[in-house]
């Protein structure tokens, strides 16, 4: 079975990143595509792996990888990109930067 190991990003309903820093999730890569059921039109699949979503939580990446390898699962590890914050102050909202100066700053 193929699984994806990743750190979740914060949801749109969160203002902080408190509960996402130290959590690693294992989520199965679904082998069968989802499709509408012919009778009711609900989305269904031929497997029950979608029920594992957000259920396998680990404190560290190493614990998650060890858990997956112990069961013989192939794992893809996705690292979360670090958030870069540019320091700004109130004056920067009104500062005019000429286009040629902006090019020099990005280099």
């Amino acid at each position: 079975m193929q699984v994806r190991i990743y750190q979740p990003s914060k949801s749109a309903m969160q203002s902080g990143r408190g509960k996402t820093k130290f959590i690693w999730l294992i989520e199965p890569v679904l082998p069968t595509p989802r499709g509408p059921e012919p009778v009711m039109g609900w989305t269904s699949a031929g497997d029950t792996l979608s029920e594992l979503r957000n259920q396998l939580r680990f404190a560290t990446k190493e614990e998650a990888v060890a858990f997956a390898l112990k069961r013989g699962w192939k794992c893809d590890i996705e690292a979360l990109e670090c958030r870069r914050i540019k320091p700004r102050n109130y004056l920067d909202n009104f500062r005019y930067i000429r286009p040629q100066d902006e090019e020099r700053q990005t280099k």
Side-chain angles (χ1 to χ4, degrees), residues 16-29:
R17 294 175 288 146
K19 293 185 178 180
T20 60
K21 258 182 155 173
F22 305 109
I23 296 175
W24 287 84
L25 298 176
I26 292 183
E27 185 176 272
V29 176

Side-chain angles (χ1 to χ4, degrees), residues 53-70:
R53 186 180 172 110
N54 294 334
Q55 297 297 322
L56 299 173
R57 296 171 179 256
F58 298 91
T60 63
K61 177 175 65 170
E62 290 77 23
E63 288 178 16
V65 171
F67 181 85
L69 293 178
K70 189 165 119 179

Side-chain angles (χ1 to χ4, degrees), residues 26-93:
I26 292 183
E27 185 176 272
V29 176
L30 304 173
T32 59
R34 303 290 180 246
E37 186 182 279
V39 177
M40 296 296 287
W42 296 339
T43 304
S44 66
D47 57 7
T48 57
L49 292 176
S50 61
E51 296 173 12
L52 285 179
R53 186 180 172 110
N54 294 334
Q55 297 297 322
L56 299 173
R57 296 171 179 256
F58 298 91
T60 63
K61 177 175 65 170
E62 290 77 23
E63 288 178 16
V65 171
F67 181 85
L69 293 178
K70 189 165 119 179
R71 282 156 180 72
W73 297 344
K74 298 176 192 169
C75 52
D76 294 329
I77 301 169
E78 297 178 10
L80 189 64
E81 292 183 20
C82 294
R83 181 178 167 193
R84 284 182 260 133
I85 301 173
K86 285 187 356 184
R88 291 186 54 154
N89 58 23
Y90 184 68
L91 180 64
D92 291 337
N93 294 330

Side-chain angles (χ1 to χ4, degrees), residues 9-20:
S9 61
K10 75 179 188 84
S11 71
M13 300 303 289
Q14 283 180 290
S15 61
R17 294 175 288 146
K19 293 185 178 180
T20 60

